[in-house]
Amino acid sequence: MEASASGRAWQTWRRARASGFPLSRAAILLFSAFLVRAPPSVEYLVRFPRTFRLTQESVKIVGSSSFPENSTAQVTSTGSLIFQNFEEAMSGVYTCFLEYKPTVEEIVKNLQLKYLVYAYREPHYYYQFTARYHAAPCNSIYNISFEKKLLQILSKLVLDLSCEISLLKSECHRVKMQRAGLQNELFFTFSVSSLDTEKGPKPCTDQNCESSKRLSKAKNLIERFFNQQVEVLGRRSDPLPEIYYIEGTLQMVWINRCFPGYGMNTLKHPKCPECCVICSPGSYNPRDGIHCLQCNSSLVYGAKACV
């Protein structure tokens, strides 16, 4: 760098290595990233004398052999580190080494700025429904046919909203009723989720988000569908069919989960408490949980097992 008197600076970006860091290409997913602010002491260190002037011509940017400069990351002519198509295995500590002389007469000074860069994914959020139907005998093929038909109808209801229905559980039980004795009942558990929850520049965390709006509309359509079944049965003069919805059994809960290898941490990431951030070394998430669990033997980012 050159000040009013002649001076120079050299800048290098380097990434800390972690054992077992690379993931197989087939398993790599694409994410966005955010920076954790450097400590206040670092902010003080970067203050230069008033006479110091940065010009693009006087700055020498030096690449590091330990940092792969390719299509996913590059250092600009002004020293900025830019990520494109950030991958989860690129999470970690990044250090900027700065060597400069404010003036020709002064000695060379060194500065290190460290940043933590994390991958994140949107939470896997969805509505989970449970409903019960009076059923045919539990070994009857009619129950299986009815289950398929019901899923087809529900899927068509939410198709235009870019949502999908997934059957989570289906069970048939003999239930003892207080007045009617034993009867067969089908217990359905299914979910409705958005088809594009991983798209978009940032996590979807409020009700104004497009995905949340579509999920809310899908929920309303499903509730209306079951209410209409009750109304139709109430208008029937004929005996009830063998398989029919049991009024009042539809229940719904909002599920919010992180994908394996990711978790929420309000204390560690206070500016993004609803983000599913990649698990740091020393932690892991094996399933669709919310938090990264402690694991001292885990040395990589995004661990899905404690090994």
Side-chain angles (χ1 to χ4, degrees):
M1 303 177 184
E2 289 189 358
S4 53
S6 178
R8 291 186 179 178
W10 292 269
Q11 187 174 358
T12 303
W13 275 98
R14 183 172 298 154
R15 169 187 169 186
R17 291 181 177 272
S19 60
F21 214 65
L23 298 179
S24 65
R25 260 314 191 196
I28 286 176
L29 300 175
L30 305 182
F31 311 101
S32 301
F34 56 89
L35 294 178
V36 176
R37 181 174 294 178
S41 58
V42 173
E43 294 180 2
Y44 173 78
L45 288 174
V46 298
R47 294 177 182 173
F48 295 102
R50 288 185 178 181
T51 57
F52 190 82
R53 294 292 183 271
L54 266 172
T55 63
Q56 183 171 338
E57 293 75 16
S58 62
V59 178
K60 181 180 179 183
I61 307 301
V62 183
S64 170
S65 59
S66 63
F67 184 81
E69 295 184 24
N70 50 32
S71 60
T72 60
Q74 65 179 20
V75 179
T76 68
S77 60
T78 57
S80 297
L81 180 63
I82 298 179
F83 295 109
Q84 294 181 5
N85 300 325
F86 193 83
E87 300 172 352
E88 61 179 354
M90 294 169 64
S91 300
V93 179
Y94 288 78
T95 306
C96 178
F97 298 90
L98 184 66
E99 183 179 289
Y100 67 96
K101 291 184 66 175
T103 64
V104 174
E105 292 77 15
E106 295 187 54
I107 62 173
V108 174
K109 297 185 178 181
N110 297 287
L111 179 65
Q112 292 186 20
L113 299 175
K114 290 190 176 182
Y115 297 90
L116 286 171
V117 183
Y118 298 94
Y120 73 77
R121 297 185 69 175
E122 291 187 30
H124 178 48
Y125 44 77
Y126 56 92
Y127 283 108
Q128 180 173 299
F129 292 86
T130 56
R132 289 161 55 188
Y133 279 78
H134 185 279
C138 287
N139 59 355
S140 173
I141 193 174
Y142 294 111
N143 291 334
I144 300 176
S145 299
F146 176 80
E147 174 188 305
K148 292 181 179 179
K149 186 65 175 178
L150 177 62
L151 291 176
Q152 289 175 358
I153 294 173
L154 292 173
S155 296
K156 288 181 180 179
L157 278 178
V158 301
L159 182 62
D160 291 340
L161 296 171
S162 295
C163 294
E164 66 177 349
I165 298 291
S166 300
L167 179 65
L168 303 179
K169 186 187 295 184
S170 176
E171 297 177 337
C172 182
H173 296 284
R174 292 274 289 172
V175 180
K176 185 176 182 181
M177 306 302 293
Q178 193 169 26
R179 296 182 179 180
L182 291 174
Q183 70 177 29
N184 304 301
E185 289 190 7
L186 286 172
F187 291 73
F188 288 114
T189 302
F190 61 93
S191 66
V192 55
S193 57
S194 175
L195 288 171
D196 58 349
T197 53
E198 295 181 23
K199 298 179 181 179
K202 60 182 179 180
C204 185
T205 58
D206 56 53
Q207 293 302 314
N208 293 323
C209 176
E210 182 185 357
S211 295
S212 292
K213 286 184 177 180
R214 289 187 283 107
L215 279 175
S216 180
K217 291 179 180 179
K219 175 183 73 72
N220 293 337
L221 288 174
I222 291 172
E223 291 176 331
R224 186 187 306 170
F225 167 73
F226 281 92
N227 289 334
Q228 288 174 344
Q229 292 184 70
V230 175
E231 295 173 2
V232 170
L233 288 175
R235 295 195 298 263
R236 284 177 63 99
S237 57
D238 300 332
L240 292 174
E242 189 172 26
I243 303 177
Y244 61 88
Y245 168 64
I246 301 175
E247 182 178 0
T249 61
L250 181 69
Q251 301 293 325
M252 180 273 298
V253 292
W254 172 262
I255 304 294
N256 195 13
R257 293 290 184 266
C258 293
F259 290 90
Y262 291 77
M264 298 180 184
N265 191 323
T266 304
L267 295 178
K268 194 170 186 178
H269 309 289
K271 291 188 177 181
C272 200
E274 300 296 327
C275 295
C276 287
V277 184
I278 196 166
C279 295
S280 301
S283 63
Y284 77 108
N285 183 8
R287 295 176 297 274
D288 286 348
I290 299 179
H291 306 293
C292 296
L293 308 176
Q294 184 175 353
C295 175
N296 295 331
S297 60
S298 174
L299 302 177
V300 299
Y301 284 88
K304 301 175 180 63
C306 186
V307 293

